[in-house]
Structure formats: C-alpha cells, structure tokens
C-alpha cells in the first residue's frame, strides 16, 4: 500500500482533492458534480478520489472540518488584551475579506441550500455554528465585564445578529460577482461599534449627566 | 377556450399553482421538482400547468413578480410622517415576521442558490433587489434631511447592510426550523436604531458640547 507509506504526500493530495471539490461544488452545485469531475479538476485519474474520501458526504464532512478549524484559529488569533469591540470588528473584517473570494461565498450558499434537505450535512454545519456562536458570545461577555460593551444587551441574540450580518454579506458576495467587501468595511465598523458600545449617560439628551 | 372565459377563475387557479410551486421548490429544490408534482400539490390534473406557465422558469418569474409587488406594497404602506428610524424598524420587523414562515425562508435560500448558476433567474431577483435598495436608501435620505438619521453615514452602503442583516436572518430561519423571529426583534431594534441615530454632540465623552 504505497499510498499510505507517505502520510505527508497523502495529506497534500487530500487537500488538493478538497480544494478541487470546493471549486466543483461552488460552480456546478453539490448534486450536479460527479466524483469524476472532482478528479479531473484535481488532475488525478478517475476513481482516485475513493482513496481519500469514500463518499461525497465524506467530502462535505471534510470541508466542514476545515471550516471549523479555520474559525477556531481566527478566534485563537485574537489578542485577549484588545478592546472587545475592536476584536469583534477584527473578526468581522477578516471574515469579510475572506469572503471576497467568490469560491468561498458560492460554496457557503450552495452548502446552506443542501443542508436544508440533508440532515447529516445540516448537522455538520450546525456544530460549527454552535462553536462560533459560543466563542463570539464569550468575547462579548468579556467586553461587558470590562465595561467595553453595553451591559444591557442580550449577548446570545447580539451574537446571532452579528453572525447573520456577516452571513448576509456572504450571500451578497455569492450573488454579485462585483461585490467589493473592502468597500463596505467602514459602514460595517460603524454598525458594530455603535450597536455594542456602552450607552453614554443621558447628558447629551438633556443635561442629566451624573 | 373555456379557460380564458373567466379571468377571475384563471387568476385564482394561477395563484394556487404558484403557491404549490413555492411549496415544492422549498421542500424538494428547483431541479428536483417536476411539473407533475406541482400539479399534484395543487390538486390539478398533470399537464394543466402549461395553461398557466409554459416553463419552470416562467414560474420563477411569476414568483419574483409576486415578491416584487409585496415589497412595493410594504414600502407604500409606510406613513411618510413617521420617524425614519421607526419606519426602518417597522420594515425590518414585518419582513422578519413574514420569514418565520419556513416556506418563505427555504424558498429564498433555494432560489438564491439557483440564481448563482442561472443568469435569467439572477436577473429577475436583481431587479427586485435594486428596487428595495433604492426605496430603502430614499427612506434613509428622507431621515437624514429631517435630522432623524446620522448625516455621516454612507446611505447606499447602510441600506445594503440593513438588507444583508435581514437576509442573514432569512438564512437562519431556513436552516433552523426552531428559529423564532419574534424573539429577536428587540435586539434587532437596538441594532438598527443605534446604527442610524444622529450622533450626539461629544458632551458625554469629555464636555466638548457645543
């Protein structure tokens, strides 16, 4: 079994296959993509895919795991000393710039549509979603504890809206090839910081400062 | 031609067909739905669909036109004397409550995925999108002119983010059958009003009011 003799080479091939699968699914859709096409896109002989992934669902599982690792790394890369609102903006900005890649945006939309009818796929992404929501809620809570974020917000629901916001932008990018994420960062930054900022005392509204 | 003799009956049948088509597309997907299934769902004999819609694309076109009319009616129902932020919240809330219907949410996601690969469908929804964006931007502009909305915002981009926000929530509702839109209105209201509100003078931050 020569193919298992070199784990590094096996891992590199596996990544190539996954990248090819992402491209095929994003361009043609999950159902319309054959495993032969994935092999062609990856420049491998047909049938080779089975050495790496036994089924198409196994490919989606591997994609979900890659996404999960990337999100975990993104959260881990944050400086815990940084202002919590700055960290949320940082996360949103990095996700936004990542999604200017139409491949990523189209694949997200395709997999979301597929997940509606395939409970196994829905569950793979539901796990990722729970992890991101929890990590974001924890970040918001840290901000509240430090007085950097409004203590009057419902943090679970605020996290959900922040995620919906970025997911809405992913949808935009998927539908509109000319969508320029960079051009929208300024307004996104205002939206997030105004939403989360601690409420000032009512001084500005009538001099009741205390 | 008895079927054209009664335009009201024809219109009623056409609406039934459209509703059946929406259900089929939302549940099974656009490609996996046959015209025979739409007829069965509508309780009509197979082949009847052709009297109302010559092709599946014509059904999507009719759905897009229904959506367009509904959105136009929603904007037309706003009281022009109402505070602009209250009107935006009103729009967002009505759209949110509409989308608690999983049929609507799932169909939106399905059609968005289909539009990625079908330029004709993409164009039908792009027309709706341009109209909503323009109507929302006009509403924001009226708010700025009256001093109800921050004049420092980029209004086109603000409108886009408000739409992305609601679209993100539609995606959530499509993926999660337990999504309770009503429970999220309070946080959405805070998000929108804080984002759009005119900026208070800097009094609260260090006494530079004036």
């Amino acid at each position: 079994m020569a193919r298992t003799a070199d784990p590094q080479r096996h891992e590199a091939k596996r990544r190539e296959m996954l990248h090819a699968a992402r491209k095929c699914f994003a361009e043609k859709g999950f159902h319309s993509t054959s495993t032969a096409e994935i092999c062609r896109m990856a420049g491998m002989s047909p049938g080779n895919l089975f050495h790496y992934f036994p089924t198409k669902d196994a490919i989606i599982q591997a994609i979900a795991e890659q996404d999960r690792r990337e999100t975990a790394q993104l959260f881990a890369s944050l400086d815990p000393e940084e202002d919590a609102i700055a960290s949320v903006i940082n996360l949103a900005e990095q996700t936004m710039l990542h999604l200017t890649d139409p491949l990523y945006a189209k694949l997200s939309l395709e997999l979301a549509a597929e997940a509606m009818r395939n409970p196994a796929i829905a569950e793979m992404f539901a796990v990722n979603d729970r992890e991101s929501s929890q990590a974001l809620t924890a970040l918001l809570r840290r901000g509240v504890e430090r007085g950097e974020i409004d203590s009057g917000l419902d943090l679970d629901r605020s996290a959900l809206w922040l995620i919906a916001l970025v997911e809405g932008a992913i949808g935009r990018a998927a539908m509109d090839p000319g969508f320029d994420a960079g051009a929208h960062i300024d307004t996104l930054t205002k939206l997030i910081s105004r939403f989360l900022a601690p409420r000032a005392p009512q001084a500005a509204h009538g001099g009741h400062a205390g």
Side-chain angles (χ1 to χ4, degrees), chain A:
Chain A
M1 300 279 276
R3 69 179 177 277
T4 57
D6 185 346
Q8 275 193 327
R9 186 150 179 278
H10 183 84
E11 179 55 29
K13 285 277 173 198
R14 196 173 172 278
R15 280 174 168 275
E16 270 173 56
M17 284 284 188
L18 267 191
H19 188 67
R22 280 185 188 256
K23 275 176 110 158
C24 291
F25 294 156
E27 278 165 25
K28 295 199 60 181
F30 180 67
H31 283 292
S32 309
T33 297
S34 66
T35 52
E37 280 168 310
I38 298 174
C39 291
R40 202 181 311 134
M41 175 76 84
M44 294 185 189
S45 53
N48 219 334
L49 191 69
F50 277 93
H51 297 156
Y52 301 91
F53 305 102
T55 61
K56 271 212 278 184
D57 273 15
I59 302 178
I60 299 283
Q61 178 75 61
I63 289 175
E65 272 163 23
Q66 268 190 344
D67 287 354
R68 185 179 169 213
R69 262 198 311 275
E70 274 178 24
T71 304
Q73 280 164 2
L74 188 56
F75 275 97
S77 74
L78 295 174
D79 175 1
E81 301 302 315
E82 185 183 48
D83 174 85
I85 291 182
S87 290
V88 174
I89 290 170
N90 191 345
L91 282 171
E93 189 171 338
Q94 288 197 57
T95 310
M96 278 287 288
L97 294 177
H98 189 35
L99 70 80
T100 49
D101 182 348
L103 168 66
Y104 178 85
K106 286 185 162 193
L107 184 65
S108 300
L109 190 49
E110 175 65 25
L111 291 179
E114 183 60 26
M116 287 198 296
R117 276 178 291 278
N118 186 329
I121 292 183
E123 184 50 30
M124 295 173 203
F125 290 93
V127 170
N128 290 9
D129 186 50
R130 276 193 294 274
E131 288 194 6
S132 319
S133 301
Q134 284 167 5
L136 184 53
T137 304
L139 172 57
L140 296 178
R141 185 162 300 116
R142 197 171 72 204
V144 169
E145 284 160 7
R146 290 181 186 165
E148 295 159 356
I149 285 180
D150 175 22
S151 60
L153 290 170
D154 178 314
L155 300 186
D156 288 318
R157 287 176 182 153
S158 299
L160 181 134
W161 278 113
L162 292 167
I163 291 171
L165 192 62
V166 172
E167 285 177 348
I170 292 177
R172 295 263 126 191
M175 308 284 288
D176 175 6
F179 184 81
D180 174 7
H184 295 282
I185 299 282
D186 273 2
T187 303
L188 178 63
T189 299
K190 281 184 181 169
L191 202 165
I192 294 174
S193 57
R194 292 176 183 186
F195 173 45
L196 298 179
R199 307 304 287 166
Q202 295 302 305
H205 294 282
H208 303 296

